[in-house]
Amino acid sequence: MRRITVKVIPNAKRDEVLEEREEDGRFNMKVKVNAQPEGGKANDAVIKLLAEYFNVSKQHVEIERGHAGRTKLVRIETL
């Protein structure tokens, strides 16, 4: 299991996942989604995109914190 902090950018031109490593070794992830941040559409798009990125099913990706914000704590169950 992994927990990652993700910064979500809704209303992007295309869906994509960007990884960044800081000089001190910290790991940052940005997820750009084309979906609107209304009615959970952006959250659903984030789950779908991260599931594809980590090659797991959508049931193995869960937003633990930050449902209404742009910064989210996401749990990913890996095999």
Side-chain angles (χ1 to χ4, degrees), residues 10-77:
N11 297 321
K13 291 183 180 181
R14 63 176 178 257
D15 294 343
E16 65 180 321
V17 177
L18 304 170
E19 286 186 29
E20 298 174 346
R21 293 219 182 257
E22 299 288 330
E23 290 181 14
D24 61 1
R26 288 184 298 156
F27 175 75
N28 293 322
M29 184 170 271
K30 289 183 183 177
V31 177
K32 294 182 178 184
V33 293
N34 189 12
Q36 299 286 329
E38 298 170 349
K41 293 177 186 176
N43 287 341
D44 292 342
V46 167
I47 289 171
K48 180 182 175 191
L49 196 58
L50 288 175
E52 290 173 4
Y53 185 80
F54 287 104
N55 199 27
V56 297
S57 67
K58 291 191 297 185
Q59 291 81 9
H60 291 95
V61 179
E62 179 185 358
I63 298 174
E64 289 186 340
R65 279 190 301 204
H67 288 78
R70 290 187 183 212
T71 303
K72 301 178 185 309
L73 179 65
V74 179
R75 184 180 64 185
I76 301 170
E77 297 286 336

